[in-house]
């Protein structure tokens, strides 16, 4: 990518016109949630308040607000480069290994013969039991000496609620309704990328204090980079081979309304290159979704009934067009999300027409079109690490569906979550594919253990292992760290206060007082939060409140 640095177009400043999610489809009605909602929400703080109640205490630290006022430092000079372990990708592709996971079978149909490319990371590991450790992988050999694992890889532990470590909230309080729209860990785990309603992409370095158990000293996080787009940001993604030790690989792509696809330098925050898609009228058109191929050589962009594929090393307007509808047959609607199989040369496209399709990476041939089972347009999808299953979720849709790709069209199980708006609500899988995590409109994060699902299940509802209140407002983004037991969550949504009487009208003040909601009474929680989801060390156990109640089914 180093040879593509001169053809960028300047990124615009944040525009005032903020639009909803990239949906040209009419809003859809939210169906009623399925029955059987008997789980209680676990409370994680000492007096019944969610972890967000800890923010004033952390922000009172000497470095908390001072750090926000500092100008953005250069990303390359931060301690994350020498203190944070960078998950470097090995040059050789990994082969898919057979895993004896409960409820999952060995990949068939040539899956064992294909090379397994994991997006930005070195393959997947066998599932870990609670508290179990495994040897540190070879590509993390530069881990600092004060790392909590010290040569051991800590696994996720969801027998108890994750502990909130720090976050960023002052950054999003300067503008009204500056809610976040997701967060994504860098492939090497050194930093976090966020999107928000002010059309600014922000990069946060992982605090070096995370590597020790002195979590009480953690200040509020402050971004080291701010990259302003010209209009509403539709989608954004990291380069999968990103490694902080190699600046040429440190970049990300973003798409915004009425703008070309911009490639941003993750060290300096400048536009490194631009990809300009044009429609059949030779007009510049914006991509609604973005995703790099696992090897990073291609950039897939989603449009209405078509996918355009750009070559990463060749910026400009040259691209390969792959229509998803041929002779009125195929996948209609705007292509809203992408996912690549880690074990086969296959990618999946989700669309606002409520369906998903499987395509060949070589020429874009439609391999299978999954039936329309969602209530709303798809907004996110993920492959399991073994490539046998595909998870799909939609807007105004109460379920995440798990599809068995060895029998296309078969739903193995469903996961219930509350998504009552058209907002994109992300979900994420851990590296082993065992745990799936998702937020919802009410701010609750649910954790499902997919190994508890029967292998021959028939659309059974899988109950969550754990639920906890992460935010007061909608938890729209969640991302699991590539190799540490850390979670990042983002929250917020557009608020619509109830219509009230004008200031001059005093009639029926008492009667309508309860129905009117003032802006101060609206639960606004526009926050990026960082959580520890691994075993607690001795120092952390002393600070952890024993009143945390984990909901185990």
């Amino acid at each position: 990518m180093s040879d593509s640095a001169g053809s960028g177009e300047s990124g615009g400043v944040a525009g005032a016109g903020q639009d909803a999610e990239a949906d040209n489809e009419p809003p859809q009605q939210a169906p009623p949630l399925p029955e059987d909602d008997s789980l209680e929400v676990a409370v994680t703080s000492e007096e019944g308040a969610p972890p967000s109640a800890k923010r004033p205490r952390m922000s009172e630290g000497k470095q908390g607000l001072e750090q926000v006022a500092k100008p953005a430092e250069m990303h390359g000079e931060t301690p994350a480069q020498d203190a944070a372990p960078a998950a470097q990708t090995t040059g050789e592709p990994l082969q898919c290994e057979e895993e004896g996971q409960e409820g999952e079978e060995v990949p068939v149909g040539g899956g064992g013969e294909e090379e397994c490319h994991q997006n930005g990371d070195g393959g997947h590991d066998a599932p870990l039991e609670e508290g179990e450790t495994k040897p540190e992988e070879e590509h993390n050999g530069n881990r600092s000496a004060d790392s909590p694992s010290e040569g051991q890889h800590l696994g996720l532990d969801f027998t108890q609620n994750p502990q909130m470590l720090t976050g960023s909230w002052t950054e999003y309080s300067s503008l009204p309704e500056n809610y976040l729209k997701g967060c994504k860990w860098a492939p090497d785990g050194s930093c976090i990328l966020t999107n928000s309603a002010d059309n600014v992409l922000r990069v946060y370095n992982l605090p070096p204090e995370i590597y020790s158990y002195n979590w009480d000293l953690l200040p509020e996080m402050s971004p080291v980079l701010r990259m302003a787009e010209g209009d509403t940001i539709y989608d954004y993604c990291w380069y999968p081979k990103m490694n902080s030790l190699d600046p040429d690989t440190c970049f990300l792509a973003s798409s915004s309304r009425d703008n070309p696809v911009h490639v941003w330098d993750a060290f300096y925050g400048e536009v490194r290159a631009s990809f300009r898609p044009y429609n059949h009228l030779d007009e510049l058109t914006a991509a609604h979704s973005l995703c790099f191929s696992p090897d990073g050589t291609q950039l897939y962009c989603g449009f209405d009934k078509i996918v355009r594929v750009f070559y990463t090393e060749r910026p400009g307007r040259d691209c390969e067009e792959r229509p998803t509808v041929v002779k009125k047959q195929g996948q209609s609607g705007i292509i809203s999300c992408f996912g690549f199989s880690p074990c086969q040369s296959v990618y999946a496209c989700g669309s606002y027409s409520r369906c998903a399709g499987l395509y060949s990476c070589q020429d874009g041939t439609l391999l299978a079109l999954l039936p329309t089972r969602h209530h709303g347009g798809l907004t996110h999808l993920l492959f399991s690490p073994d490539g046998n299953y595909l998870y799909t979720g939609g807007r105004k849709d109460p379920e995440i569906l798990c599809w068995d790709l060895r029998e296309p069209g078969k739903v193995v199980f469903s996961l219930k979550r509350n998504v009552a708006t058209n907002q994109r609500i992300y979900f994420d899988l851990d590296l082993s594919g065992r745990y799936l995590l998702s937020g919802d409109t009410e701010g609750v994060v649910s954790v499902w253990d997919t190994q508890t699902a029967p292998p021959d299940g028939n659309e059974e509802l899988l109950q969550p292992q754990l639920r906890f209140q992460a935010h007061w407002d909608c938890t729209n983004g969640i991302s699991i760290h590539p190799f540490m037991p850390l979670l990042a969550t983002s929250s917020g949504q557009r608020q619509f206060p109830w219509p009230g009487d004008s200031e001059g009208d005093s009639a029926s003040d008492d009667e309508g007082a309860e129905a009117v909601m003032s802006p101060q009474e609206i639960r606004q929680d526009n926050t990026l939060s960082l959580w520890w989801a691994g075993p607690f060390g001795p120092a952390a156990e002393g600070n952890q409140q024993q009143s945390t109640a984990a909901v185990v089914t």
Side-chain angles (χ1 to χ4, degrees), residues 15-273:
Q18 298 176 3
D19 217 7
E21 288 290 334
D23 44 22
N24 294 344
E25 311 276 326
Q28 299 161 24
Q29 298 297 324
L33 287 172
E35 302 291 334
D36 210 12
D37 188 11
S38 59
L39 291 177
E40 296 182 0
V41 175
V43 180
T44 60
S45 64
E46 52 188 8
E47 296 184 7
S52 57
K54 298 168 62 178
R55 293 174 199 145
R57 178 181 62 82
M58 290 190 296
S59 62
E60 288 174 3
K62 296 182 180 180
Q63 301 178 357
L65 297 179
E66 295 177 0
Q67 190 171 359
V68 178
K70 293 181 180 179
E73 301 176 291
M74 189 176 72
H75 180 67
E77 298 178 354
T78 54
Q81 203 171 352
D82 47 6
Q88 306 176 25
T89 348
T90 58
E92 302 176 359
L94 300 176
Q95 299 294 325
C96 285
E97 300 176 352
E98 297 181 358
E99 296 183 2
Q101 299 182 2
E102 297 180 9
E104 295 187 4
E105 302 176 12
V106 179
V108 296
E113 301 173 0
E114 298 285 348
E115 295 176 346
C116 180
H117 299 275
Q118 187 72 15
N119 274 359
D121 204 84
H124 59 276
D125 306 306
L128 295 173
E129 298 297 332
E130 281 74 22
E132 184 182 350
T133 60
K134 67 176 181 179
E136 188 61 71
E137 296 167 336
E138 295 180 5
H139 60 258
N140 292 336
N142 61 339
R143 176 178 294 277
S144 58
D146 59 347
S147 168
S149 56
E150 294 183 359
Q152 296 292 322
H153 187 104
L154 296 178
L156 294 169
D157 181 9
F158 290 115
T159 58
Q160 54 195 344
N161 285 7
Q163 178 182 355
M164 180 179 170
L165 302 179
T166 181
S168 177
W169 46 91
T170 309
E171 176 73 17
Y172 304 98
S173 61
S174 57
L175 295 176
E177 285 198 359
N178 189 20
Y179 55 92
L180 283 86
K181 296 182 178 181
C183 57
K184 298 181 181 180
W185 283 105
D188 72 344
S190 62
C191 51
I192 314 169
L193 174 65
T194 66
N195 177 27
S196 52
D198 60 356
N199 309 326
V200 176
L201 296 169
R202 293 173 172 86
V203 174
Y204 294 83
N205 278 332
L206 183 62
E209 294 88 352
I210 294 291
Y211 303 113
S212 65
Y213 283 110
N214 297 324
W215 293 337
D216 282 343
L217 304 177
L218 282 173
E220 180 181 353
M221 297 170 64
S222 181
V224 293
L225 282 182
R226 297 177 181 88
M227 295 160 284
E229 276 285 10
D231 212 322
T232 304
I233 297 176
Y234 288 157
D235 202 2
Y236 57 102
C237 61
W238 284 101
Y239 179 64
K241 301 294 185 181
M242 181 267 189
N243 182 355
S244 294
L245 302 180
D246 185 3
D248 286 344
T249 65
C250 295
F251 59 89
L252 55 103
S254 67
S255 174
S256 61
R257 186 172 60 182
D258 298 332
N259 283 292
V261 176
H262 289 143
V263 173
W264 299 89
D265 190 303
F267 263 76
Y268 302 102
E270 300 172 350
V271 175
R272 185 185 287 190

Side-chain angles (χ1 to χ4, degrees), residues 305-308 321-326 329 331 359 364 366:
K305 298 191 288 292
I306 193 171
V307 173
R308 292 181 171 91
E321 295 190 348
R322 300 180 177 181
T324 59
V325 175
V326 179
Q329 298 292 326
Q331 184 178 8
Y359 298 86
L366 178 63

Side-chain angles (χ1 to χ4, degrees), residues 165-421:
L165 302 179
T166 181
S168 177
W169 46 91
T170 309
E171 176 73 17
Y172 304 98
S173 61
S174 57
L175 295 176
E177 285 198 359
N178 189 20
Y179 55 92
L180 283 86
K181 296 182 178 181
C183 57
K184 298 181 181 180
W185 283 105
D188 72 344
S190 62
C191 51
I192 314 169
L193 174 65
T194 66
N195 177 27
S196 52
D198 60 356
N199 309 326
V200 176
L201 296 169
R202 293 173 172 86
V203 174
Y204 294 83
N205 278 332
L206 183 62
E209 294 88 352
I210 294 291
Y211 303 113
S212 65
Y213 283 110
N214 297 324
W215 293 337
D216 282 343
L217 304 177
L218 282 173
E220 180 181 353
M221 297 170 64
S222 181
V224 293
L225 282 182
R226 297 177 181 88
M227 295 160 284
E229 276 285 10
D231 212 322
T232 304
I233 297 176
Y234 288 157
D235 202 2
Y236 57 102
C237 61
W238 284 101
Y239 179 64
K241 301 294 185 181
M242 181 267 189
N243 182 355
S244 294
L245 302 180
D246 185 3
D248 286 344
T249 65
C250 295
F251 59 89
L252 55 103
S254 67
S255 174
S256 61
R257 186 172 60 182
D258 298 332
N259 283 292
V261 176
H262 289 143
V263 173
W264 299 89
D265 190 303
F267 263 76
Y268 302 102
E270 300 172 350
V271 175
R272 185 185 287 190
S274 294
F275 297 94
R276 300 186 298 275
Y278 288 85
N279 60 17
H280 62 287
L281 299 176
D282 204 35
E283 298 172 338
L284 183 68
T285 178
H288 293 271
S289 54
L290 297 173
C291 189
F292 283 99
S293 60
D295 59 5
T297 60
Q298 294 174 312
L299 178 62
Y300 285 67
C301 305
F303 302 86
D304 187 11
K305 298 191 288 292
I306 193 171
V307 173
R308 292 181 171 91
V309 182
F310 292 90
Y311 285 91
T312 310
E313 61 183 11
R314 196 167 61 206
R317 61 177 295 168
D318 293 336
C319 65
E320 177 187 351
E321 295 190 348
R322 300 180 177 181
T324 59
V325 175
V326 179
K327 295 181 180 179
K328 299 184 179 180
Q329 298 292 326
Q331 184 178 8
S332 61
I334 295 174
I335 303 301
S336 56
C337 49
F338 288 99
F340 281 86
S341 172
C343 295
Q344 297 183 5
S345 184
V346 173
Y347 65 93
C349 294
S351 72
Y352 286 135
S353 62
R354 301 182 293 137
C355 66
L358 300 175
Y359 298 86
S360 168
C361 290
Q362 278 73 23
D363 54 5
T365 304
L366 178 63
L367 304 177
L369 189 62
L370 302 183
T372 303
R373 296 293 308 276
H374 281 279
H375 299 284
L378 270 64
T379 55
H380 193 49
L381 51 80
L382 282 177
F383 278 90
S384 62
D386 60 9
N388 290 340
Y389 301 97
L390 178 69
Y391 297 90
T392 57
R395 59 187 186 184
K396 284 195 175 180
D397 193 308
E399 290 178 315
I400 297 173
L401 299 180
C402 177
W403 304 83
D404 190 343
L405 300 183
R406 296 163 295 187
E407 299 181 46
K410 178 184 178 182
V411 176
V412 184
F413 57 84
S414 63
L415 313 172
K416 184 182 64 175
R417 63 174 184 171
N418 179 20
V419 179
T421 66

